[in-house]
Amino acid sequence: MTDDLTRMLWVYGPPGVGKTTVAWEIYAALATSGDDVGYVDIDQLGMCFPEPAGDPGRYRLAAENLGAVVAGYRAAGARAVVVSGVVDPARGAPVDLIPDVVVTMCRLRADADVLTGRLVARLGNHDTVPQALAEAEALDANNVGDLCVDTTGLPVDQVVRLVEERTAGWTDRAPSAAPGTAAEPRTGADATEGPILWLCGASGVGKSTVGFHLYLRHVLGRGIPGAFVDLDQIGFYRPASSDIRVDHGMRARILAALWRNFRAAGARCLTVVGPAESSAAISTYAQAMPAATVTACRLHAEPDELTRRIMLRGEGGSWAQPGDPLKGQPAVHLSSVAERAVADAALLDRAAVGDVRVDAGQRTVEEVAAAVIAETGWPTVRPAQGRPGGGDRRQGA
């Protein structure tokens, strides 16, 4: 590329159509080939209560947060980003909120009976089917985007191939018009105040499961305005030449920008989950958000329990998440991951990483959450009036 614009491929469609799976496969192939490309699931960027006034569905909030993630990736070296997630069926994608990008919109669709079967197979019930079918019908009627790929009756690999063929050249696409004039999202140190609880720990310890439970049950469930971020979901970019496992500097700058947007939308606390291998890593986030109060709570489990959980993850024994590095892996690989997780847990324990330590071993999710609350006093803000919302951790696949 000869300019500073970031090329973006946005794969979207109704729930159950396969957008997350397809987008991830396209990203993974490009990253493996050495391209400077990142990935983000926009559905992960709008988990916030209350719903902002004038933004039903949180489409604009998620787009603003997407702009912050893209800016963070760009600053780290990315020149292209693959995006998956929902788009407002009536208004389309608010790409004007994402500065310095050239966007290719690719809609996936499927017949109603196919969507129904996929959703029931994934969720085990028909509860979300009517809403998904209504969204699919609206997307078909409005036909928003640059192109459409019908996934009916096709396996994932064939859909991926069709999307790649139909979008060929998107990473070098020339702007068809002047790029949007939205202000570049700030991704430096931020003065936004508020309490932030960060659950960290070794791989497999349950930080995502416990953290999301805390957010749903003890924040939204109590009517407290709050937001949720999984650090792994804002970290899917790493230069091919880098051997750094986690770029905390990039993630911290992005998180600071997201927190500012969530606060502007009305959130008063933030639940964060993600890895931190040292006290220095935690300090990176505190420095990026100097006005916020960051409490790092490290979850711990003994070697046998960590190993059991990681082997279970390989069998799909957790919720689906974009880029899950364990699902479907062979036992020998999972064993290697478990060995490293056990070693990491021991190192974290010896270094006493985090403000508090909570045993997450032979306990239920609610028991661990209760222990976290007892140790940290979380959440530290009062409930607000109104009905909670924003707890939909949709994957859109």
Side-chain angles (χ1 to χ4, degrees), residues 151-341:
T151 72
T152 302
L154 300 179
V156 171
D157 60 343
Q158 192 168 341
V159 176
V160 170
R161 186 168 65 253
L162 282 173
V163 172
E164 289 174 333
E165 290 173 355
R166 298 286 304 279
T167 62
W170 72 269
T171 55
D172 296 304
R173 177 184 166 191
S176 57
T181 57
E184 180 77 6
R186 290 175 292 159
T187 53
D190 190 81
T192 303
E193 300 178 346
I196 298 175
L197 175 66
W198 179 5
L199 295 184
C200 58
S203 179
V205 77
K207 48 191 177 288
S208 293
T209 303
V210 173
F212 196 59
H213 178 84
L214 278 168
Y215 170 65
L216 286 180
R217 178 79 178 271
H218 298 283
V219 178
L220 268 60
R222 292 174 53 193
I224 296 173
F228 177 89
V229 173
D230 184 332
L231 293 175
D232 284 339
Q233 297 299 323
I234 59 172
F236 287 124
Y237 172 69
R238 186 175 67 178
S241 59
S242 175
D243 58 358
I244 300 174
R245 286 173 61 183
V246 177
D247 187 342
H248 290 294
M250 180 188 73
R251 292 186 180 193
R253 291 187 292 272
I254 293 173
L255 183 65
L258 300 190
W259 177 223
R260 182 176 61 251
N261 290 342
F262 284 137
R263 282 288 279 173
R268 294 167 60 194
C269 64
L270 174 64
T271 307
V272 176
V273 299
E277 72 280 358
S278 66
S279 296
I282 294 174
S283 295
T284 300
Y285 294 82
Q287 291 166 7
M289 301 178 289
T293 303
V294 180
T295 301
C297 177
R298 177 169 52 88
L299 303 184
H300 178 79
E302 294 302 315
D304 288 349
E305 181 61 16
L306 274 181
T307 300
R308 185 189 71 82
R309 293 181 181 184
I310 287 173
M311 301 304 288
L312 187 62
R313 278 268 300 277
E315 300 172 0
S318 180
W319 63 51
Q321 60 176 311
D324 187 338
L326 301 181
K327 184 177 179 181
Q329 293 295 327
V332 63
H333 176 77
L334 295 172
S335 296
S336 177
V337 171
E339 288 178 5
R340 188 166 73 176

